[in-house]
Amino acid sequence: MPNLTTSHGILRRISPLLLTLASACFCAPLWAQGVGDQPTEATASDGRYISWQEHLIDDAAILDFVLSGGDGLVMADLDLDGYLDIVSVHESDSSYDSANFTPGFEAPPEGYVRIAFGSADPLQWHNITVAKELDAAAPEDAAIADMNGDGYPDILVAAELSHILYLQNPGTRDASWPRLKLPMTEGRGSYIRVFAADLDGDGTPEVIAPNKGAQIPGPDDFAVSTPVSVFKVTGDPLLGDNWREIELGHYSIPQNSEPVDLDGDGDLDIVVGTRGEERLLWFENPGDGSLEFVEHAIGINGARMGGFNLEYADLNGDGRLDIIGAGVGRVGNGLVWIEQPERKGDAWNAHFIGEFAPDSFTGLEVADIDGDGDLDVFAGSYSRGEREADDANAQLTDPMGRLGWFENANGSWIRHDVSRRIRGMFDKFIAVDMDGDGDIDFAGTRGNSYPYDGVFWLEQVRTTAPAPRFVRAREQDSHEVGLP
């Protein structure tokens, strides 16, 4: 029955022979009953069973360079042909050796910003690289917005090795993208997230980003406060002098700064999450065309949240946005949602959704997966340990790469595990009906598992009889395993 809950250095290429030999090291009885191989028990509102078919969009195994460490993922019609395209970023760094990179003394750090141009066929994609190496030094996140007002969406990239990169859409698929590293962001720390939205209503988006300080924060870094900033451009975005920075506040390892109309007054506020302080806060938009935001704490009753990946939805139907994310505390350790109070300044009550233990939560997305009219949550986890080969000594109790979703069942939550593999970091998901059949599919990125990293989409498959929960796209992949 489903589980019911209520309350990066340069990577080495791995030959198929080595992968085959590694496979032989695993004890068949221990690993044979993988989660994805088991028959699904999840059902849609029409009574049919739900399973998932993986399709590859951008595959590291077929490229002549190392594409690994998939992180940020955003979608928009970049070339205005009527089909959604995907922007993804890839750190290509399995051990964070590039954090010690010194220009002129060694090869530049690897890292790629890629576009997968869509078509009428969701199995056909045209993939290109638009930034790499020093322009995309350990890229972690991306955002899309028309920054110069020419009608074509542009790209912003957060690079963990020091800067925010602006890439201007040339209007054609294979032309070079003009670029600018925002000068006030160079050499100042590590940018892990980036967002773009028109905060002041003047028709030009602003860029919002937290500076977490160091790519790999050490004990001393937690005692240093770094800014969450708004970057405003006036005029040509390719000219550094046209940008100015507005610091909203300083925090210990801030890792989120997401624009969202949290108070429902029609303008965009900013929700901040801090890893060092393990708390959330929000900046209220004054709504007067200025950028003089007002800071408010988000006091949580029953949990603590660092807010790396958050989703927003009105889960209890009271007309106010609630927040969903990973949390720990009295209500439970795992995925929680916090209920926005009626009065500003009151505590947000925490409610438990479910857990992936011993696996951790990374990416998540809210959507009506089963078609019953309420919102479910799809999630992925972050494996630990070896990133370039499956560990032959891995135990079921080790943190691994998992896919699963939590069914909203009238206030209770039912966990449906989809896949569990020794290696895999599933950082971002986007809910989209990729094949146009009327149900929700998911686009996502994968890291921590070279040469199986890249971009993929999960097709929701509905059948009259139970089918295997997960059908992988590759013949050879990281080992599918069972639950502890």
Side-chain angles (χ1 to χ4, degrees), residues 145-148 154-157 164-168 179-185 194-196 204-208 230-246:
D146 181 6
M147 299 300 301
N148 63 347
D154 307 305
I155 300 172
L156 286 307
V157 177
I164 301 293
L165 176 69
Y166 166 64
L167 293 163
Q168 186 166 286
R179 63 205 57 207
L180 173 75
K181 296 176 186 177
L182 272 60
M184 66 286 292
T185 67
V194 64
F195 303 91
T204 300
E206 283 73 48
V207 176
I208 313 101
V230 173
F231 301 93
K232 183 169 180 62
V233 64
T234 304
D236 185 350
L238 290 172
L239 299 178
D241 289 343
N242 289 344
W243 291 86
R244 66 184 177 96
E245 179 179 9
I246 303 161

Side-chain angles (χ1 to χ4, degrees), residues 336-351:
V336 303
W337 70 277
I338 57 174
E339 178 183 354
Q340 183 171 172
E342 183 177 1
R343 291 193 313 172
K344 189 183 301 182
D346 282 356
W348 295 54
N349 289 319
H351 305 272

Side-chain angles (χ1 to χ4, degrees), residues 255-287:
Q255 58 182 2
N256 206 339
S257 58
E258 192 159 2
V260 58
D261 185 6
L262 195 64
D263 54 8
D265 64 355
D267 52 36
L268 290 171
D269 312 299
I270 298 171
V271 176
V272 173
T274 79
R275 175 181 168 188
E277 300 166 34
E278 203 172 11
R279 70 182 180 102
L280 306 181
L281 57 111
W282 68 288
F283 282 93
E284 181 181 1
N285 193 323

Side-chain angles (χ1 to χ4, degrees), residues 113-399:
V113 181
R114 299 272 285 173
I115 298 175
F117 287 102
S119 69
D121 183 350
L123 302 180
Q124 297 295 321
W125 301 84
H126 176 67
N127 295 288
I128 66 171
T129 295
V130 291
K132 62 181 180 178
E133 296 177 348
L134 290 178
D135 282 345
E140 179 74 23
D141 195 23
I144 295 175
D146 181 6
M147 299 300 301
N148 63 347
D150 66 353
Y152 284 91
D154 307 305
I155 300 172
L156 286 307
V157 177
E160 279 198 280
L161 288 178
S162 87
H163 61 261
I164 301 293
L165 176 69
Y166 166 64
L167 293 163
Q168 186 166 286
N169 193 330
T172 57
R173 280 192 173 189
D174 293 309
S176 175
W177 286 56
R179 63 205 57 207
L180 173 75
K181 296 176 186 177
L182 272 60
M184 66 286 292
T185 67
E186 289 194 85
R188 285 190 57 201
S190 179
Y191 290 90
I192 191 169
R193 305 295 301 278
V194 64
F195 303 91
D198 184 3
L199 300 173
D200 56 10
D202 68 353
T204 300
E206 283 73 48
V207 176
I208 313 101
N211 181 347
K212 73 171 185 174
Q215 186 187 32
I216 312 174
D220 293 341
D221 295 308
F222 283 81
V224 177
S225 293
T226 50
V228 171
S229 298
V230 173
F231 301 93
K232 183 169 180 62
V233 64
T234 304
D236 185 350
L238 290 172
L239 299 178
D241 289 343
N242 289 344
W243 291 86
R244 66 184 177 96
E245 179 179 9
I246 303 161
E247 294 185 352
L248 297 178
H250 289 70
Y251 309 94
S252 173
I253 313 180
Q255 58 182 2
N256 206 339
S257 58
E258 192 159 2
V260 58
D261 185 6
L262 195 64
D263 54 8
D265 64 355
D267 52 36
L268 290 171
D269 312 299
I270 298 171
V271 176
V272 173
T274 79
R275 175 181 168 188
E277 300 166 34
E278 203 172 11
R279 70 182 180 102
L280 306 181
L281 57 111
W282 68 288
F283 282 93
E284 181 181 1
N285 193 323
D288 58 5
S290 75
L291 294 172
E292 297 179 1
F293 283 67
V294 179
E295 181 178 349
H296 300 282
I298 296 180
I300 304 175
N301 174 32
R304 303 187 311 278
M305 301 175 71
F308 175 60
N309 279 327
L310 299 172
E311 290 296 319
Y312 308 87
D314 179 10
L315 290 182
N316 59 355
D318 64 1
R320 296 185 292 274
L321 280 184
D322 308 307
I323 299 177
I324 305 101
V328 297
R330 187 178 68 252
V331 300
N333 300 332
L335 196 63
V336 303
W337 70 277
I338 57 174
E339 178 183 354
Q340 183 171 172
E342 183 177 1
R343 291 193 313 172
K344 189 183 301 182
D346 282 356
W348 295 54
N349 289 319
H351 305 272
F352 190 58
I353 293 177
E355 48 81 23
F356 269 2
D359 308 322
S360 61
F361 286 102
T362 312
L364 61 147
E365 176 74 305
V366 174
D368 182 6
I369 295 172
D370 54 7
D372 64 355
D374 56 29
L375 292 173
D376 312 299
V377 183
F378 197 92
S381 72
Y382 188 160
S383 66
R384 307 290 175 175
E386 177 61 55
R387 299 183 177 191
E388 300 179 33
D390 284 6
D391 182 356
N393 297 314
Q395 303 296 312
L396 289 178
T397 52
D398 293 339

Side-chain angles (χ1 to χ4, degrees), residues 8-15 18 66 68 94-95 97 386-389 423 450-451:
H8 290 279
I10 304 300
L11 296 169
R12 299 183 302 274
R13 291 202 172 274
I14 304 170
S15 71
L18 289 177
V66 175
S68 67
S94 68
S95 60
D97 293 340
E386 177 61 55
R387 299 183 177 191
E388 300 179 33
R423 290 181 294 144
Y450 183 79

